[in-house]
Amino acid sequence: MNESTIKIRLMKADDFDAVVGIDEKVLKASRPEYYEMKFEKLFKSKDYLPTSLVAEETDGTVVGFVMGVLYVGEYGIFKEEASLDTIGVDPYCQQKGIGEQLINEFMEHLRKLGVRKVNTLVDWNDSKLIQFFSANHFSPSKTINLERSI
């Protein structure tokens, strides 16, 4: 497999099992409830615009995905900003340019929808993910993420 044999397309409802499976391989933990919530919003909400993509091999096997949210009025933002909240590439297929291909297609898709800025959050201690996003033209934001432990 190489980047030229990978097709990027809009995510479909029947991609659920593949997405959950890839996420479990990457994180070594299963999160079907998280994806049930995401897929519910993605495919059953009439107010949700399709922004999530999958990468598939020529035989239709899903090997990666990227999910995000287009802001439509949240936080006073009107369709010019979006977030990338979840990305995953099957560990067997990593280091082959699929993540970069997903990011590029995701950005182009959002650009066509009128988005001008995409945000994401990364754990400060996850140097590999920070390096990945940096290599894909993300930089530190002027927005500060605040938290409070309870």
Side-chain angles (χ1 to χ4, degrees):
M1 165 196 26
N2 61 49
E3 192 175 333
S4 66
T5 64
I6 298 298
K7 174 183 153 191
I8 307 295
R9 64 166 171 77
L10 282 172
M11 188 177 284
K12 300 183 290 191
D14 61 359
D15 293 321
F16 179 84
D17 290 338
V19 168
V20 171
I22 291 168
D23 186 69
E24 184 172 2
K25 287 179 189 176
V26 171
L27 295 180
K28 308 214 182 330
S30 183
R31 305 187 302 161
E33 299 83 12
Y34 170 73
Y35 288 102
E36 286 170 8
M37 176 191 68
K38 296 280 295 169
F39 272 66
E40 175 83 18
K41 194 175 195 182
L42 183 61
F43 297 107
K44 296 192 177 160
S45 170
K46 60 183 177 244
D47 298 325
Y48 197 77
L49 293 172
T51 56
S52 300
L53 306 173
V54 297
E56 67 180 6
E57 295 181 308
T58 54
D59 68 358
T61 301
V62 174
V63 295
F65 65 93
V66 61
M67 300 179 85
V69 175
L70 176 63
Y71 296 120
V72 185
E74 291 93 337
Y75 310 108
I77 301 166
F78 294 99
K79 201 179 168 187
E80 292 182 357
E81 291 191 31
S83 69
L84 185 160
D85 58 45
T86 316
I87 186 167
V89 175
D90 188 304
Y92 173 74
C93 301
Q94 291 179 1
Q95 305 297 318
K96 298 180 181 180
I98 296 169
E100 180 180 6
Q101 191 177 353
L102 277 164
I103 293 277
N104 290 339
E105 292 280 342
F106 183 70
M107 295 300 166
E108 181 59 20
H109 178 66
L110 291 174
R111 187 189 65 73
K112 288 177 182 175
L113 293 174
V115 172
R116 297 292 167 247
K117 187 188 300 184
V118 177
N119 298 296
T120 193
L121 295 174
V122 179
D123 185 310
W124 180 260
N125 297 312
D126 192 339
S127 60
K128 286 184 181 179
L129 199 53
I130 290 171
Q131 184 178 10
F132 169 77
F133 279 112
S134 178
N136 283 283
H137 311 288
F138 280 77
S139 60
S141 169
K142 292 179 181 153
T143 304
I144 298 172
N145 182 42
L146 301 175
E147 67 182 16
R148 176 179 167 179
S149 296
I150 53 173

